[in-house]
């Protein structure tokens, strides 16, 4: 029945549909897959289509946003390139699109559910079968396959043979796969022509694998634990597993080539070099309102952000949007904003912070993380806001990831006490809706010296230099409220628990090293990055380029973050990267 419905659309459509690059046998194969895939549906839908010439002009792009998450970055990138966006509201809008972008977000099963219930699944199949210009991004690539193991097996659109499976973390590869990787170009794909051996940004836990059955589709692969499909192309149909909207200039060129293929000269694609996941260099902006009421970038010494003067003012190192834009141009792989007074001020009342995100995301095309104040909150009028609502507002305003500090500590303490996952903590709720990869836990530990490992119930390390009273061991005590309150949980215990509760990444600060410029706390970073299988961002203490190579050589950190040296312009980001390259450490250039 489904096949008949699609066929009748094809013959009756008034819009001329091009079958330029799909042979008749390919179309039959595609239909067969979709047919098999939907046979289980209880009441086969018959799509009534009135194809029109559509309202799209050359500068209009149709965007399929089914409301499951944040596609603001994609919107920003399309607008930045000078195009207007028309949103899909009905299946007909898909069929009438001149150029369709499908940035899949959220989980595979819920996306398929929405697409099927709204009739969009069938419209998408028809659109793609008819070789209309299509660009799927991330989940927008995965949904084209037969099925996914994510909370499944769950049927996909069945247009491309293959099963989407989870990365295997057993070989020491951290899952999610977050960061910058280069591609192995398998065939001419036009939209990838400018990439060469430059890195693009990935963030995902599931991937499709190349096989004999789908080799006609695969236009590039990427290696992470094994070779997975980084992009597909068949005729006018493209999809990429990476995020072009978050891949800096090179990502914008992918979008530009899709949006306006004719304006771009065709190049012979250059083969990428073998690539591991590049180590990331992250610029962090601690943001707060100063005593005059202006939102400023500040920076502490061991978390004290006030000048040591009579006035005792909040240190002001610049304006958040300007600095973030500058770091993007300088080559930062990510930018993080930490709203450092978020623990006491309600972030949704802090409209300037949301404005900062909105403005930054219009011009910064690498991932943006925001943290501070993500927790449940009841305002002065008795209105209750869940942490999920707070996070959603951050996402809507342009964040790609949110970071949770104090609230993650409380959730971990509770879990250790009860051994029950309630599903109610901010960490669990946000990662369930937005995916683990969108949730960072920011840890603010302080080193506490002890005489022996049995002095505390927490994991200790033997310290290279004895403590003030000759102590040979130390543990790392977690704190909340910007380091003001020490808690009865170690960073090691916290890291393991938050991974279980759904964190996708750990931002590992260190109060002792913060702002000191003497290097990262290698012992701490080694302890935590060896304890978990999610990526760890080393933070606090960078003072020279050598500190970055040291942390990457001596620990399993996936990224290194710095603040003071960048704000004070002591060390440019490019010098850090040049140094890392010289030391043989792969970075994005
Ligand atoms: O607890 O969920 O509201 O989150 C609050 C967030 O604000 C946490 O991520 C916490 O780390 C951060 N925060 C709170 N108070 C401060 C402070 O400095 N007074 N900043 C603070 C944490 C540490 C790093 C810093 C690095 C690198 N700042 O973000 O950027 O240490 O600095 P460096 O390179 O200059 O050494 P919640």
């Amino acid at each position: 029945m489904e096949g008949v419905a699609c066929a009748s659309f094809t013959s009756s459509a008034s819009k001329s549909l091009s079958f330029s690059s799909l042979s008749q046998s390919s179309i039959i194969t595609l239909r067969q897959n979709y047919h098999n895939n939907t046979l289980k549906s209880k009441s086969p839908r018959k799509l009534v289509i009135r194809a029109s010439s559509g309202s799209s002009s050359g500068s209009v792009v149709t965007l399929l946003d089914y409301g499951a998450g944040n596609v603001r970055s994609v919107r920003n990138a399309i607008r930045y390139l000078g195009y207007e966006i028309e949103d899909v509201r009905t299946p007909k809008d898909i069929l009438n699109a001149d150029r369709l972008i499908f940035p899949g977000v959220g989980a595979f099963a819920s996306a398929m559910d929405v697409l099927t219930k709204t009739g969009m699944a069938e419209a998408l199949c028809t659109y793609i079968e008819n070789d209309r210009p299509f660009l799927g991004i991330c989940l927008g690539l995965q949904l084209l396959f037969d099925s996914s193991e994510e909370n499944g097996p769950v049927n996909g659109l069945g247009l491309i043979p293959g099963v989407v499976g989870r990365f295997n973390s057993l070989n020491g590869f951290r899952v999610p796969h977050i960061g910058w990787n280069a591609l192995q170009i398998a065939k001419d794909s036009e939209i990838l022509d400018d990439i060469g051996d430059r890195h693009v940004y990935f963030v995902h836990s599931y991937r499709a694998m190349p096989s004999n059955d789908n080799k006609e589709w695969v236009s590039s692969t990427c290696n992470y634990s094994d070779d997975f499909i980084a992009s597909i192309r068949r005729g006018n149909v493209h999809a990429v597993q990476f995020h072009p909207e978050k891949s800096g200039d090179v990502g914008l060129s992918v979008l530009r080539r899709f949006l306006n293929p004719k304006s771009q000269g065709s190049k012979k694609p250059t083969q990428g070099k073998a690539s591991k996941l590049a180590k990331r260099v992250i610029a962090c902006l601690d943001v707060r309102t100063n005593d005059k009421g202006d939102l400023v970038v500040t920076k502490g010494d061991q978390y004290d952000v006030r000048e040591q003067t009579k006035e005792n003012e909040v240190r002001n190192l610049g304006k958040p949007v300007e600095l973030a834009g500058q770091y993007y141009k300088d080559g930062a792989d990510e930018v993080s904003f930490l709203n450092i007074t978020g623990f006491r001020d309600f972030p949704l009342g802090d409209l300037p912070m949301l404005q900062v995100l909105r403005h930054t995301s219009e011009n910064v095309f690498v991932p943006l993380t925001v943290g501070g104040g993500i927790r449940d909150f009841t305002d002065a009028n008795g209105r209750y806001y869940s942490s999920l609502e707070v996070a959603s507002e951050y996402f809507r305003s342009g964040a790609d990831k949110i970071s949770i500090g104090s609230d993650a500590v409380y959730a971990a303490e509770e879990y250790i006490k009860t051994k029950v996952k309630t599903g109610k903590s901010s960490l669990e709720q946000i990662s369930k809706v937005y995916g683990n990869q969108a949730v960072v836990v920011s840890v603010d530990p302080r080193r506490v010296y002890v005489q022996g490992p049995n002095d505390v119930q927490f994991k200790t390390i033997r310290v290279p230099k004895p403590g003030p009273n000759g102590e040979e061991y130390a543990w790392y005590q977690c704190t909340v409220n910007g380091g003001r309150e020490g808690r009865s949980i170690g960073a090691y215990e916290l890291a393991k628990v938050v991974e279980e509760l759904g964190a996708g990444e750990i931002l590992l600060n260190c109060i002792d090293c913060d702002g000191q410029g003497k290097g990262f706390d290698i012992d701490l970073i080694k302890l935590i990055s060896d304890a978990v299988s999610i990526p760890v961002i080393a933070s606090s203490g960078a003072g020279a380029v050598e500190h970055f190579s040291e942390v990457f050589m001596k620990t399993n950190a996936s990224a290194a973050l710095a603040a003071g040296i960048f704000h004070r312009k002591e060390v440019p980001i490019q010098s850090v990267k040049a140094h890392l390259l010289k030391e043989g450490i792969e970075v994005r250039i």
Side-chain angles (χ1 to χ4, degrees):
M1 284 300 289
E2 298 290 341
V4 174
C6 281
S8 76
F9 159 67
T10 308
S11 55
S12 65
S14 61
K15 186 170 186 140
S16 121
L17 296 170
S18 131
F19 288 77
S20 57
S21 46
L22 290 182
S23 65
Q24 196 59 37
S25 65
S26 311
I27 293 167
I28 291 163
T29 312
L30 294 181
R31 285 226 193 296
Q32 192 57 48
N33 285 336
Y34 178 54
H35 197 67
N36 293 341
N37 214 39
T38 51
L39 277 178
K40 291 183 203 111
S41 99
K42 282 187 192 139
S43 51
R45 291 160 290 112
K46 210 170 189 179
L47 193 61
V48 181
I49 292 130
R50 282 179 289 120
S52 74
S53 59
S55 58
S56 302
S57 73
S59 63
V60 177
V61 185
T62 305
L63 188 75
L64 175 49
D65 171 7
Y66 51 90
N70 171 34
V71 300
R72 189 184 177 94
S73 315
V74 178
R75 288 180 191 279
N76 282 337
I78 295 171
R79 291 203 183 103
Y80 181 86
L81 294 171
Y83 291 80
E84 283 170 41
I85 296 167
E86 249 175 34
D87 279 290
V88 169
R89 306 207 185 279
T90 67
K92 201 177 87 178
D93 298 333
I94 293 178
L95 299 169
N96 286 340
D98 280 341
R99 205 155 280 282
L100 180 68
I101 296 189
F102 179 30
V105 281
F108 192 102
S110 48
M112 263 321 282
D113 200 39
V114 174
L115 293 176
T116 308
K117 281 187 180 138
T118 54
M120 306 257 184
E122 193 169 325
L124 263 178
C125 283
T126 305
Y127 183 87
I128 291 171
E129 281 178 346
N130 287 299
D131 194 27
R132 306 287 304 145
F134 173 86
L135 176 63
I137 298 175
C138 195
L139 189 63
L141 172 142
Q142 296 179 7
L143 289 163
L144 304 181
F145 283 80
D146 285 331
S147 66
S148 170
E149 289 169 359
E150 185 178 0
N151 302 324
V154 180
N155 280 349
L157 294 171
L159 296 168
I160 306 179
V163 176
V164 177
R166 196 169 200 276
F167 279 112
N168 188 346
S169 59
L170 290 180
N171 319 325
F173 285 87
R174 283 159 204 273
V175 182
H177 171 224
I178 298 183
W180 300 79
N181 246 338
L183 308 180
Q184 298 295 306
I185 307 286
K187 70 172 182 193
D188 185 4
S189 117
E190 289 173 13
I191 65 167
L192 303 183
D193 280 4
D194 296 322
I195 288 190
D197 57 9
R198 295 180 67 195
H199 294 76
V200 288
Y201 184 74
F202 290 88
V203 48
H204 58 133
S205 299
Y206 291 81
R207 83 287 187 243
M209 305 291 281
S211 70
N212 250 341
D213 292 337
N214 59 35
K215 64 173 187 258
E216 283 175 52
W217 288 88
V218 178
S219 55
S220 71
T221 58
C222 176
N223 187 273
Y224 188 67
S225 168
D226 35 36
D227 284 341
F228 68 89
I229 296 176
S231 65
I232 62 98
R233 187 261 169 107
R234 196 149 157 178
N236 291 308
V237 175
H238 301 266
V240 291
Q241 179 60 66
F242 58 90
H243 286 265
E245 77 284 9
K246 286 286 144 190
S247 296
D249 283 353
V250 76
L252 291 176
S253 87
V254 171
L255 287 173
R256 198 181 286 115
R257 282 185 171 275
F258 171 72
L259 293 169
N260 194 356
K262 291 197 190 92
S263 76
Q264 315 287 317
S266 177
K267 285 187 192 169
K268 193 168 162 18
T270 45
Q271 189 58 259
K273 284 194 209 119
S275 163
K276 294 200 216 80
L277 187 61
K279 298 290 185 183
R280 288 171 277 155
V281 176
I282 301 177
C284 181
L285 295 88
D286 289 354
V287 178
R288 63 160 286 170
T289 309
N290 67 11
D291 302 328
K292 294 185 199 115
D294 302 323
L295 200 67
V296 298
V297 175
T298 189
K299 184 69 220 48
D301 276 330
Q302 299 184 327
Y303 284 35
D304 180 359
V305 298
R306 293 200 173 259
E307 302 278 13
Q308 302 304 309
T309 57
K310 199 159 64 89
E311 290 74 24
N312 205 219
E313 283 171 341
V314 171
R315 209 169 280 136
N316 180 348
L317 293 169
K319 295 186 177 157
V321 179
E322 274 173 26
L323 273 185
Q326 189 57 50
Y327 294 146
Y328 168 61
K329 286 191 197 130
D330 294 348
D333 297 317
E334 281 181 42
V335 175
S336 293
F337 289 108
L338 295 177
N339 183 352
I340 66 168
T341 50
F343 70 89
R344 60 166 184 245
D345 306 326
F346 179 46
L348 297 192
D350 199 352
L351 292 176
M353 188 65 206
L354 297 175
Q355 291 291 1
V356 161
L357 268 180
R358 285 184 198 121
H359 291 310
T360 303
S361 62
E362 279 164 17
N363 295 298
V364 170
F365 297 104
V366 292
L368 290 176
T369 302
V370 65
I374 296 179
R375 66 197 154 97
D376 297 345
F377 189 87
T378 304
D379 71 12
N381 303 320
R383 159 83 157 91
Y384 167 80
Y385 296 85
S386 70
S387 55
L388 184 60
E389 281 177 86
V390 179
S392 298
E393 195 53 41
Y394 274 150
F395 285 125
R396 272 195 292 275
S397 301
D400 301 290
K401 303 188 248 184
I402 54 91
S403 116
I404 309 176
S406 308
D407 217 43
V409 177
Y410 303 133
E413 288 174 344
E414 190 62 21
Y415 180 62
I416 289 172
K417 201 162 72 192
T418 61
K419 306 268 179 298
V420 177
K421 284 188 195 170
T422 59
K424 290 188 179 144
S425 67
S426 50
L427 184 49
E428 290 163 284
Q429 288 191 42
I430 300 166
S431 60
K432 186 166 173 222
V433 174
Y434 289 96
N436 302 29
Q437 76 290 337
V439 182
V440 182
V441 165
S442 168
V443 194
D444 300 313
R446 177 178 277 127
R447 189 182 274 221
V448 181
Y449 290 99
V450 287
Q451 295 295 350
N454 299 327
D455 288 4
V456 278
Q457 67 201 92
F458 311 108
K459 178 89 171 173
T460 54
I461 53 152
R462 201 183 178 117
V463 288
K465 268 196 236 151
N469 302 308
E471 298 95 333
E472 291 188 352
Y473 288 82
W475 67 289
Y476 288 92
Q477 181 185 28
C478 289
T479 64
V480 292
N481 299 347
R484 285 167 183 78
E485 188 193 334
R487 302 292 297 188
S488 195
I489 181 170
Y492 175 87
E493 290 75 22
L494 178 101
K496 291 188 89 67
V497 168
V498 297
E499 176 175 18
E500 243 187 273
L501 292 178
E505 206 170 13
I506 290 177
L507 163 54
L508 186 57
N509 302 299
C510 176
I511 297 181
D512 310 81
C513 297
D514 175 56
Q516 304 305 294
K518 293 185 185 147
F520 298 96
D521 189 325
I522 299 296
D523 301 326
L524 168 67
I525 296 158
K526 190 165 163 26
L527 176 74
I528 305 302
S529 61
D530 288 346
V532 292
S533 64
I534 51 178
V536 171
I537 302 167
S539 166
S540 304
V545 293
E546 292 76 14
H547 295 149
F548 290 84
S549 48
E550 182 188 29
V551 79
F552 289 135
M553 284 170 177
K554 294 188 177 165
T555 79
N556 283 313
S558 301
L561 171 151
I565 52 165
F566 297 150
H567 304 336
R568 294 187 301 268
K569 303 194 177 9
E570 290 163 8
V571 180
I573 293 170
Q574 280 311 335
S575 305
V576 174
K577 293 205 166 174
H579 169 77
L580 291 173
L581 274 180
K582 198 174 87 216
E583 294 298 318
I585 297 166
E586 185 171 334
V587 288
R588 171 183 81 112
I589 38 165

